[in-house]
Amino acid sequence: MWRLRRAAVACEVCQSLVKRSSGIKGSLPLQKLHLVSRSVYHSHHPTLKLQRSQFRTSFHQFSSLANLPLRKLKLSPIKYGYQPRRNFWPARLAARLLKLRYLILGSAVGGGYTAKKTFDQWKDMIPDLSDYKWIVPDIVWEIDEYIDLEKIRKALPNSDDLAKLAPDFDKIVESLSLLKDFFTTGHKLVSEVIGASDLLLLLGSPGETAFRATDHGSESDKHYRKVTDKEKIDQLQEELLHTQLKYQRILERLEKENKELRKLVLQKDDKGIHHRKLKKSLIDMYSEVLDVLSDYDASYNTQDHLPRVVVVGDQSAGKTSVLEMIAQARIFPRGSGEMMTRSPVKVTLSEGPHHVALFKDSSREFDLTKEEDLAALRHEIELRMRKNVKEGCTVSPETISLNVKGPGLQRMVLVDLPGVINTVTSGMAPDTKETIFSISKAYMQNPNAIILCIQDGSVDAERSIVTDLVSQMDPHGRRTIFVLTKVDLAEKNVASPSRIQQIIEGKLFPMKALGYFAVVTGKGNSSESIEAIREYEEEFFQNSKLLKTSMLKAHQVTTRNLSLAVSDCFWKMVRESVEQQADSFKATRFNLETEWKNNYPRLRELDRNELFEKAKNEILDEVISLSQVTPKHWEEILQQSLWERVSTHVIENIYLPAAQTMNSGTFNTTVDIKLKQWTDKQLPNKAVEVAWETLQEEFSRFMTEPKGKEHDDIFDKLKEAVKEESIKRHKWNDFAEDSLRVIQHNALEDRSISDKQQWDAAIYFMEEALQARLKDTENAIENMIGPDWKKRWLYWKNRTQEQFVHNETKNELEKMLKCNEEHPAYLASDEITTVRKNLESRGVEVDPSLIKDTWHQVYRRHFLKTALNHCNLCRRGFYYYQRHFVDSELECNDVVLFWRIQRMLAITANTLRQQLTNTEVRRLEKNVKEVLEDFAEDSEKKVKLLTGKRVQLAEDLKKVREIQEKLDAFIEALHQEK
């Protein structure tokens, strides 16, 4: 009985040893256990049936804590029952006498062993930082070039010196063995007690409490035996959670220190201390490929299957907040309940020394550590969104490209899409819901796109729309990551916490996902900083029941773990698919090049921009050709155009009224007055208009004139648009009219014809003008009276009743003119009555207004014929003109009038020609250059003006080559990083 009790005590000691060494790799050799413990068959002892509960925690592959070692878990000490006293007073006396010595020796041995074990544990606790080697700048790896580490190593003590300071464990063990042998003979019980004490002292555990048997101890042992397995598991889970949070804080501290170190190194680089070649980062190279792909038209037949992270969710579900937590900055516009994301925003996250953001098409950097820059960035994003949205629409499919760089950012490309809505509200376009669905599907149907599905945890899961959409695009959940936001509100509002677990595990939705995460993105205050939100998130999950009750695992919470998971998925998808996409673009390039060779074998592959540059040079050459026009040509076309514009006014308002006067003095007075009025009010303006129209006509002629075989009709629309826009922008010099008015007035005041040649030229000019007017008048009369008897017989045409009345009236008025060839220009009322009665007598009813209209044309023809006859008489009148028509019945004042008009036209044409060649042509050339520069910056205008199969094929070839080159460079860099 006594030996059995001793064996039980020894087994309990061994069992305690096994439990205490659970955190140490390997097991204690059996030779170091007590002699009694080795001699007993342990498996049959009843106390060994109490085994440690197997609690295992598996970490998800995306957890940042998966590689960190767990801290040694402390179990509650087990106290054992009361043992009966024996009267071995000599042994007790010896033990008490030697107690102090054994305590000192045991403490030394146990302290040394414990120090070694603690050192090993600390060594295992240090995380593996090989994955973060890229964060450390190059100067750290090259630090041996600046610091002599060999001198530092020599200054430190060597291992032999350190070994001398440590206790001699072999001598201690040898002394203990001698003491145990001494007490074995004659004092076996004492040696057994001492052996057990040595084991407990070696383990560093309070051995006295295990052997101090009192009545109170036995009651306490019964209490500890009643501790359930569930309480132990809860205790272990709580300790595990604290350990994980502790390691995560250590990792964040290391990253913060690394960030500061990198800033310091880059600041030294700026001062010229250390220069190194900066290469374009891997994620920036990949983002450039996506930017080129985003410029493709919808008709492009090569599908874009390159990976990117597509962020989708219901409106106000927290998509933007999750993105901001990943980007570590409040960069997006915010609004309470209204739609803020109106077009897709592509955000490229990359590592950099400073936390900045910049747009793809802009060189301005926004410092994300300054609130004024953050506000400016949010305002710029909002302006770009509103600019992309066309009139009558609410959302736009055009993408805004934004790069965000900063220390510690996970490298990836995310696309924030407009939130999915269930109902179209007032102020929205009727097709807003369908447009958002089509945009979301266009991004999610990419088989290599990672779908980041955002679900609001504070609302009922049944109200979600996006989950159905995601399940349609990715039914097996192979590229979907589910994120539950606002978990803090969900925990407060949801009556059953298990409902949150069902949401996280995907049991409430038809969709499946690759991973499930729960995050907290703030307290709903838009002014909160990222650091404050992160602290609040960690504090919430540290105290949350969701983790304590194992509804959520540690790797499924916080936006940090989410960003790590998304980044890992993104790069895994990139490595798996990028080479396949490169092969696809190679095949597309071969097909396009073959098509070009078959259709355009003799033409160069010029894309839209290159064609625009070629057309630009041609247009500028044609504008310069305007300066090569001869002065004679300018003056001829200006004089002819100006006379065509003013001839009607000269004949109808100046010459005919003056010719109705009775003598030459009245004729000249009337002409001078009317010429002065005309010059002051109308003539300069008309002349400038004629000059501007002439310049336009010549410019158009040069722009549209075919160039033979070299002419390329693909530029016709562009040239026409440039011509119209340049003419619209060109304005004639305002001071030209004032100077021209003075010149024209002086020219018309001159009445002196110097020679016979000028006199004959004036007569010829007068005859041409009068004959042209006579021809127009005869045409008007013919239209009025209808075809004559020849046309009626030859062409079988008849007169209408109105034409018959006009013909009868004309005949009656011609009889009147034959009777009085000097008849004035107007009919008297009695003459009108006479004509009407004569016509009525022949059965023709006529209106007085018809008689007046017919008289105007009849008298006009009569007057013009008379003026032409007078013009023939004045051919020999230059001699009389020199004598001022003294002693002569011939008066040729009308010839002098036409000479004044002709001279004014010549002087005006010469003045306008000088202004054209010296000023206006250059100003027009400047306007053309400005228009071409504006068109060069307007891509939509170029697409509209340069169209056709040839242009589109060249565009596709250029883009495919550019994408292939960038993809090849990216793949090469990706292999080098591996």
Side-chain angles (χ1 to χ4, degrees), residues 237-259:
Q237 287 178 348
E238 187 173 356
E239 291 181 358
L240 177 62
L241 178 62
H242 286 291
T243 303
Q244 290 175 341
L245 294 176
K246 173 185 175 182
Y247 290 151
Q248 189 158 350
R249 284 193 293 269
I250 292 173
L251 184 61
E252 290 177 356
R253 189 184 74 248
L254 291 174
E255 289 181 352
K256 186 175 181 181
E257 292 175 356
N258 183 44
K259 174 182 176 182

Side-chain angles (χ1 to χ4, degrees), residues 620-664:
L620 293 177
D621 292 341
E622 291 164 357
V623 174
I624 293 175
S625 300
L626 282 174
S627 60
Q628 305 300 323
V629 178
T630 60
K632 181 179 179 182
H633 178 74
W634 277 119
E635 292 182 11
E636 287 178 355
I637 58 177
L638 284 171
Q639 187 172 350
Q640 182 180 356
S641 300
L642 182 59
W643 172 243
E644 290 176 357
R645 181 67 62 86
V646 302
S647 60
T648 302
H649 181 83
V650 171
I651 299 297
E652 302 294 338
N653 297 335
I654 298 177
Y655 174 65
L656 289 179
Q660 306 299 322
T661 58
M662 301 303 296
N663 53 50
S664 61

